[in-house]
Amino acid sequence: MKILHLDKNHPLIIQQLEDLGFTNEEDYTSSKEEVLEKIDAYDGIIIRSRFKLDQAFLSAAKNLKFIGRLGAGLENIDTKFASAQGIQLFSAPEGNRNAVGEHALGMLLSLFNKLNKANQEVRAGKWLREENRGVELEGKTVGIIGYGNMGKSFAKKLQGFDVEVLCYDIQDNVGDPFAKQVNLEEFQQKVEVLSLHTPLTEATNDMIDADFINSFKNNFWFINTGRGQSVVTSDLVEALKSGKILGAGLDVLEYEKTSFENLFTSAAQMPEPFQYLIQAENVLLSPHVAGWTVESKRKLAQVIVDKIKANFG
């Protein structure tokens, strides 16, 4: 079986697939159109988010048996058409769930203690102690939307902080010793910290809008390490301005393209809500790297190898 690698990943993925008898070809520079011309020669594809594998692309991949995506989601793949074509899809949320959980916790603690703001001020020669008085996580109610691999990892990280952890999910019976599953009404009545861990679907696209935000009883802190398109940024900004959202840690933004590699590729001016975010002292931003650690790079590759081996080895 021939596998086409469209993104660079940890070298173990090629080494181990070769050991299993697969033929690996790497193409990290060709355009989508160039890849399209030769894709019918391959049995498998390994990709992160370089471009979208849409119906036209998958139709041309006449011999394709599987797609492995080194990441948690599959939104850059037409999953319905792929399944109809008998193409198996492998993602790797198990590989970076720990990294995402740690990143979410790091963002939350940084916001609570104004670490980003204080760091910049001290470097600028400002020693402002009262202005940088923090708040404590202890005693807060933390709510997690999306209680899969990522949400469970974050909940586990919260053990020891003496917080109440609630989760809300469209699946039943996902609660565990680390989080109590509740209905949306109870969730919105109690939560003081909201962390989003959902994939991008029709149901989650633009889910966090003004109506959703204002349905919460308490003013709350917001962390998003899921998908940026799940949040209406203009509504988030209005909530930050009003104080309904006390602060936000955003690893993802709705302005990201199919490829997550670079946000700043357009000469056009960034939207006004984004301009607000980059100036706001109670907003912490990172470039879609919650799941990107030295360890997760290896884990993601290993998960995909193991799934290919289990199905085609």
Side-chain angles (χ1 to χ4, degrees), residues 2-282:
K2 292 176 64 177
I3 302 177
L4 178 62
H5 297 256
L6 294 172
D7 288 295
K8 289 184 178 180
N9 294 294
H10 195 283
L12 78 79
I13 194 167
I14 291 178
Q15 294 167 2
Q16 292 191 21
L17 288 173
E18 285 180 351
D19 293 341
L20 291 170
F22 293 94
T23 299
N24 296 279
E25 294 188 15
E26 301 167 72
D27 187 345
Y28 308 136
T29 58
S30 294
S31 67
K32 182 178 180 179
E33 291 71 25
E34 291 170 331
V35 173
L36 193 63
E37 292 178 0
K38 63 178 182 178
I39 195 59
D40 62 343
Y42 298 95
D43 302 283
I45 294 174
I46 303 295
I47 192 170
R48 283 201 317 267
S49 59
R50 185 167 149 202
F51 49 68
K52 187 173 180 62
L53 304 186
D54 51 23
Q55 183 171 335
F57 185 94
L58 295 173
S59 295
K62 300 184 184 302
N63 295 303
L64 198 62
K65 298 174 180 62
F66 68 86
I67 301 169
R69 179 170 186 271
L70 276 83
L74 294 168
E75 64 268 24
N76 63 327
I77 302 169
D78 187 330
T79 56
K80 290 182 180 179
F81 186 77
S83 296
Q85 295 294 101
I87 301 169
Q88 292 200 49
L89 303 176
F90 306 129
S91 60
E94 306 92 336
N96 60 359
R97 60 189 174 191
N98 183 71
V100 171
E102 290 189 4
H103 194 96
L105 179 58
M107 280 191 141
L108 181 57
L109 293 175
S110 181
L111 285 169
F112 269 32
N113 293 284
K114 303 182 181 180
L115 295 183
N116 191 47
K117 173 179 176 290
N119 174 65
Q120 293 175 340
E121 289 174 352
V122 172
R123 290 173 183 273
K126 299 178 182 179
W127 193 261
L128 305 175
R129 298 186 68 239
E130 186 58 38
E131 292 85 347
N132 286 301
R133 187 183 291 274
V135 295
E136 296 179 14
L137 183 54
E138 183 179 10
K140 302 289 191 296
T141 299
V142 179
I144 298 171
I145 296 182
Y147 204 60
N149 281 283
M150 310 304 172
K152 288 177 183 292
S153 175
F154 180 53
K156 186 177 180 181
K157 302 291 181 286
L158 291 168
Q159 300 306 298
F161 282 95
D162 293 326
V163 295
E164 180 182 18
V165 184
L166 306 178
C167 66
Y168 173 75
D169 196 285
I170 59 173
Q171 303 292 329
D172 294 328
N173 302 315
V174 297
D176 59 18
F178 303 120
K180 175 186 176 184
Q181 185 171 11
V182 297
N183 61 35
L184 185 58
E185 182 180 3
E186 182 177 350
F187 189 90
Q188 292 179 323
Q189 281 291 309
K190 294 182 175 180
V191 162
E192 298 167 278
V193 175
L194 172 60
S195 190
L196 191 61
H197 296 276
T198 51
L200 183 62
T201 66
E202 291 183 6
T204 63
N205 188 56
D206 290 342
M207 176 175 64
I208 310 298
D209 60 9
D211 288 341
F212 189 88
I213 292 169
N214 291 323
S215 296
F216 283 78
K217 177 183 177 181
N218 302 310
N219 297 341
F220 63 93
W221 302 81
F222 179 59
I223 305 293
N224 187 10
T225 55
R227 287 292 182 261
Q229 294 90 339
S230 295
V231 179
V232 180
T233 310
S234 56
D235 291 352
L236 170 65
V237 166
E238 290 305 312
L240 285 164
K241 289 179 178 178
S242 71
K244 183 63 182 178
I245 293 182
L246 301 168
L250 308 174
D251 181 56
V252 290
L253 295 165
E254 72 167 293
Y255 312 113
E256 295 178 62
K257 309 303 180 187
T258 299
S259 174
F260 306 139
E261 304 305 311
N262 198 331
L263 182 67
F264 304 104
T265 56
S266 173
Q269 188 177 36
M270 278 291 177
E272 187 174 336
F274 181 73
Q275 295 181 47
Y276 175 87
L277 293 177
I278 62 177
Q279 297 294 328
E281 291 184 337
N282 61 339

Side-chain angles (χ1 to χ4, degrees), residues 273-300:
F274 181 73
Q275 295 181 47
Y276 175 87
L277 293 177
I278 62 177
Q279 297 294 328
E281 291 184 337
N282 61 339
V283 174
L284 189 61
L285 302 167
S286 57
H288 203 139
V289 293
W292 280 46
T293 61
V294 172
E295 292 83 0
S296 72
K297 185 176 183 179
R298 170 178 284 275
K299 291 177 187 177
L300 287 166

